[in-house]
Amino acid sequence: MEPHEPDLTAVPVTTVLAALADDVRLQIVRALAEGGEFACNTFEFGVSKATRSHHLKVLREAGLTRTRAAGTSRYVRLRRDELERLYPGLLNAVLTPAPPAPSRAAPSRPEPA
């Protein structure tokens, strides 16, 4: 039985953004963007198997990934072309590392008289 994968046009952009707002899910998306398709059990990211499954489910239900069954294994890949067509530039914006924030010096205190 194949897992449910929504038609991306039925997924609100807020659902896609919410799925990307989690650090672990963002790491998964970045890995998929760099490496193509992976077996679901190859993702580690310092989380339990149940937590990893939850994150993969959230990404799939938000329309970000496709899951393919092969025997007892499941393989996941990014729906890059569909996402780009529907939300142009979104993945590139999310996958591009943000520039470091400028350091803010602590306000100076006047010297006591």
Side-chain angles (χ1 to χ4, degrees):
M1 180 174 165
E2 292 295 319
H4 171 71
E5 293 174 348
D7 177 353
L8 199 50
T9 59
V11 178
V13 70
T14 52
T15 300
V16 174
L17 293 172
L20 292 169
D22 181 88
D23 287 336
V24 173
R25 291 193 291 268
L26 188 54
Q27 288 178 40
I28 292 170
V29 169
R30 285 185 173 142
L32 291 170
E34 290 176 13
E37 185 177 69
F38 289 94
C40 291
N41 63 356
T42 61
F43 292 106
E44 291 297 325
F45 303 116
V47 297
S48 70
K49 180 180 177 182
T51 301
R52 179 184 63 218
S53 293
H54 167 74
H55 287 306
L56 291 169
K57 178 182 176 187
V58 170
L59 290 170
R60 186 184 70 248
E61 290 180 349
L64 287 155
T65 61
R66 286 232 184 262
T67 304
R68 173 179 68 85
T72 58
S73 296
R74 299 275 185 263
Y75 295 87
V76 64
R77 66 180 166 85
L78 200 54
R79 294 171 71 174
R80 183 185 283 275
D81 292 340
E82 294 171 81
L83 288 161
E84 185 60 29
R85 197 170 35 257
L86 198 56
Y87 306 117
L90 175 66
L91 272 182
N92 285 340
V94 169
L95 297 174
T96 302
S103 61
R104 295 180 9 185
S108 60
R109 293 183 183 191
E111 292 293 322

